[in-house]
Amino acid sequence: MYKTIGILAHVDAGKTTFSEQLLYYTKSIKQRGRVDHKDAFLDSHQIERQRGITVFTDQGRFTYRDSSYFLIDTPGHIDFSPEMERGIQAMDYAIIIISAVEGIEGQTEIVWELLRKHGVPCFFFINKIDRVGADVQQVVRDIRSTFAADVCDITEALAEDGEMNEELAEFLAERDEALLERYMDTGYDRETWLAAMQRLIGDNAIFPYACGSALQGIGIESFLQKLDQLTVTDYSSEEPFAGRVYRIRHDEQGTRITFVKALSGTLKVRDILHYGDAENRISEKVTQIRVYNGREFKAVERVEAGELFAVTGLSMAAVGDGLGELTENAVYEMVPTLKSKVILEPEVNKKEALQYFKILNDEDPSLNVLWVESLQEIHLHVMGRIQLEVLQQLVKERFALNVSFDKPEILYKETIEAETTGYGHFEPLKHYAEVHLRMQPAERNSGIRFENACHADDLSVGNQNLVRHHLYEREHHGLLTGSPLTDVVVTLLTGRGHNKHTSGGDFREATYRALRQGLEKAKNLLLEPYYQFKIKVELDQLGRVISDVQQAHGTCDAPRTEGDKAILTGIVPVATFMNYSSELASFTQGRGTLSLTFAGYDRCHNEQEVIERIGYNKDADPEYTSSSIFCAKGQGYTVPWNEAEGKMHCL
């Protein structure tokens, strides 16, 4: 039986040390490494060892009893949350490590929310019980109040042979009607209860916890025994192959390595794999299959459902892509809200540097690396300052390139406030295309959606599909700051082509011009990213926190109390709150906790100020034009956007 187990935690909770212990007890590694000693097996990259934090998702492999385990160790720092989330989608079960001293921290809450969104069953391991100030019961109370009430202690309650004490047996019976009836009729029996517990865990109905010390090796082996008893997977190798890409890397020779979780079927070297969207399916041959343990790998001829492995030969598969029978791509929650510019030394070839950054973008799609032709600059999206520091070091080590980065700025977006219609016409000599688009505001954070109300008598289906394709082929910019356009429903109303003169690219030009002309007529809105926050402080500090949130242009829900603590939730702009954690730590002497999760985009609180600061000139953007081109007397001529509508051929 193959099982993929993920280890997740807030930074410094002991996640990597715990992983090392599991690998050591199962004889997968010969000695236990330590983060502070810079010799952890799973923190194998030089950057990780220097900084003492996990930056890259890494995997180990071990066998225990009748199961083969794949162990995924994920980053704990918020700046590397996208890397952590990509690892989550390959997990069958997760173990959340919580320090018995520090308790639930900001990133712990983010981890929990992501696991819930992706439906991954999880266990808790309360770590560092040997440390001064450890309070296991307080952590358990916090888990029950913050995460889930249905948590159960398996430290002593569950024996190695699967027997459980009366308290645990009753806990399970209370949460399963059939089990409760059986308990009332015939009492407890081990096999039935163990099977029920496995099912309840798999259904995310209960969450077991145990405690120990990863550093001292206390409780690790006992926890592994119970984990093995309580986890089951049901993968079928008889069905056609389906898998998902969860990671991309390039080895030292520059070979592109695609990491895959097999969900069904089998895969062999030289098999053809299909991937990509329905309109553009790509078929490529698998040239090698690798099974990794840390940085080492073994080449194999065949893998089957449930395994984690890597393949070579896939040149275009992206993180999140479905392979084979799985055609659905993954959707990720962790989205960067900052952007930065790459600063290159004068002697560096910019196009060569761009190729290096595209390799990094391949491995981490959340970077959204962009070449801005008009400025001759490389821009990217980031989570925070630590990520930029790591990127700087990474580029130096891998590509021998000295770079630095501009101070990160907020990543804004734009939308429209009311319905409008955009018209685009492109008719220089021997070209012809016309497109009419209705543009309507859509719900927040829904992106751009295409709808079609065009009759095939007006525009052929092939050309209608071209309009749709051109709408989605690139990111479109708004007029206020040149930021990405979002939250718009674009409907193709009508259009026209020419049997003789319409050629490649004509409908691209007409579509872009129609979209831009519609924006010129619309009431445009600037959007900014928001955090969903959760702050826990002493009761007498609540007033200060509420005042801080209000000054940051945020909104608060009604506060609630939990013992001598106050809990405040709400939403607040990223721009005004991104550095609040240090301020909170200062006035609470480190006892206040702050959890920030991305809450999507909404109206910018200081729109005019941002517009003036960015100083975008819509008329000077070479990539966009809202004018149309018509033809008269064998010559094309330009008509500005505010006059073009009267000349359209389809009106």
Side-chain angles (χ1 to χ4, degrees), residues 82-135:
E83 175 84 358
M84 180 257 292
E85 185 181 13
R86 291 190 288 270
I88 282 177
Q89 294 214 340
M91 297 174 188
D92 297 315
Y93 294 88
I95 302 166
I96 300 178
I97 311 293
I98 302 177
S99 165
V101 180
E102 286 82 13
I104 293 172
E105 299 175 89
Q107 188 71 356
T108 325
E109 298 202 31
I110 292 172
V111 162
W112 171 261
E113 290 300 325
L114 284 173
L115 290 170
R116 301 286 53 78
K117 281 172 181 170
H118 294 297
V120 180
C122 72
F123 294 72
F124 293 99
F125 185 83
I126 302 171
N127 192 25
K128 303 186 181 182
I129 63 168
D130 56 317
R131 288 258 307 272
V132 175
D135 189 342

Side-chain angles (χ1 to χ4, degrees), residues 294-310:
R295 299 193 83 170
E296 303 297 318
F297 70 86
K298 181 174 71 173
V300 298
E301 287 295 311
R302 176 182 178 277
V303 285
E304 59 185 45
E307 290 194 73
L308 290 189
F309 58 94

Side-chain angles (χ1 to χ4, degrees), residues 1 17-18 38 104 222 350 354 392 444 492 560 599:
M1 185 183 295
T17 307
F18 179 88
K38 302 183 179 181
I104 293 172
S222 168
K350 292 179 178 179
L354 178 62
Q392 185 175 13
R444 286 286 176 266
L492 174 61
R560 58 187 178 89

Side-chain angles (χ1 to χ4, degrees), residues 241-243 273-275 281 322-327:
F241 178 80
L273 265 183
H274 309 284
Y275 61 92
R281 292 295 278 173
L323 302 177
E325 293 296 301
L326 181 66
T327 55

Side-chain angles (χ1 to χ4, degrees), residues 14-21 29 31-44 48-54 130-131 213-217:
K15 172 176 49 59
T16 299
T17 307
F18 179 88
S19 302
E20 297 281 317
Q21 291 284 16
I29 57 176
Q31 63 182 52
R32 291 163 284 206
R34 282 177 54 166
V35 173
D36 54 343
H37 291 178
K38 302 183 179 181
D39 62 353
F41 177 74
L42 291 174
D43 280 351
S44 56
E48 296 177 307
R49 293 186 168 178
Q50 286 173 4
R51 290 181 168 268
I53 60 171
T54 302
D130 56 317
R131 288 258 307 272
S213 167
L215 191 60
Q216 304 298 330

Side-chain angles (χ1 to χ4, degrees), residues 151-428:
V151 295
C152 55
D153 187 0
I154 56 171
T155 310
E156 303 292 342
L158 184 66
E160 189 179 338
D161 62 359
E163 285 289 346
M164 55 188 76
N165 65 18
E166 188 176 345
E167 185 182 352
L168 181 56
E170 289 181 356
F171 172 87
L172 298 174
E174 287 167 3
R175 283 150 184 84
D176 186 291
E177 202 171 311
L179 206 61
L180 183 60
E181 285 184 20
R182 186 172 183 131
Y183 189 61
M184 302 298 287
D185 292 343
T186 60
Y188 158 83
D189 70 85
R190 185 182 65 185
E191 285 189 15
T192 304
W193 256 250
L194 196 58
M197 191 169 185
Q198 290 169 347
R199 178 172 44 77
L200 288 167
I201 292 168
D203 291 343
N204 284 292
I206 64 168
F207 305 94
Y209 74 88
C211 52
S213 167
L215 191 60
Q216 304 298 330
I218 300 168
I220 305 292
E221 199 166 9
S222 168
F223 180 78
L224 178 58
Q225 291 167 354
K226 290 157 187 175
L227 179 79
D228 188 67
Q229 286 175 339
L230 297 174
T231 54
V232 290
T233 55
D234 184 25
Y235 291 106
S236 170
S237 297
E238 306 304 315
E239 299 169 19
F241 178 80
R244 184 174 309 283
V245 178
Y246 68 93
R247 189 181 177 210
I248 302 285
R249 287 291 179 267
H250 294 79
D251 66 15
E252 290 168 359
Q253 287 73 46
T255 305
R256 192 176 194 269
I257 316 296
T258 306
F259 288 78
V260 180
K261 169 70 176 278
L263 302 173
S264 68
T266 59
L267 184 72
K268 299 188 290 295
V269 176
R270 291 179 292 280
D271 278 356
I272 302 295
L273 265 183
H274 309 284
Y275 61 92
D277 59 43
E279 293 176 8
N280 301 292
R281 292 295 278 173
I282 298 166
S283 301
E284 292 184 304
K285 185 187 290 186
V286 173
T287 55
Q288 187 183 39
I289 300 176
R290 304 176 177 184
V291 177
Y292 275 83
N293 189 23
R295 299 193 83 170
E296 303 297 318
F297 70 86
K298 181 174 71 173
V300 298
E301 287 295 311
R302 176 182 178 277
V303 285
E304 59 185 45
E307 290 194 73
L308 290 189
F309 58 94
V311 300
T312 60
L314 304 188
S315 62
M316 297 174 70
V319 172
D321 276 0
L323 302 177
E325 293 296 301
L326 181 66
T327 55
E328 209 175 282
N329 293 340
V331 176
Y332 298 109
E333 300 284 333
M334 300 307 295
V335 179
T337 56
L338 304 173
K339 64 178 178 180
S340 183
K341 179 179 78 178
V342 180
I343 300 172
L344 301 167
E345 300 289 333
E347 67 276 7
V348 172
N349 183 303
K350 292 179 178 179
K351 290 299 172 80
E352 184 182 342
L354 178 62
Q355 292 311 308
Y356 293 144
F357 274 94
K358 283 186 173 176
I359 290 172
L360 296 177
N361 192 79
D362 217 14
E363 299 175 353
D364 180 0
S366 71
L367 288 174
N368 282 290
V369 171
L370 176 69
W371 171 252
V372 184
E373 182 68 38
S374 58
L375 302 173
Q376 294 285 294
E377 291 175 350
I378 301 170
H379 292 190
L380 43 76
H381 297 179
V382 291
M383 296 292 290
R385 182 179 53 82
I386 301 295
Q387 185 184 6
L388 284 179
E389 290 176 9
V390 167
L391 273 173
Q392 185 175 13
Q393 201 172 341
L394 191 63
V395 171
K396 172 74 172 172
E397 286 186 11
R398 283 181 63 177
F399 310 119
L401 202 64
N402 289 315
V403 301
S404 56
F405 298 93
D406 250 4
K407 182 182 175 184
E409 297 177 353
I410 295 297
L411 187 62
Y412 294 96
K413 294 189 179 184
E414 296 184 34
T415 190
I416 59 174
E417 199 166 25
E419 181 179 319
T420 186
T421 304
Y423 303 94
H425 188 95
F426 185 70
E427 193 189 356

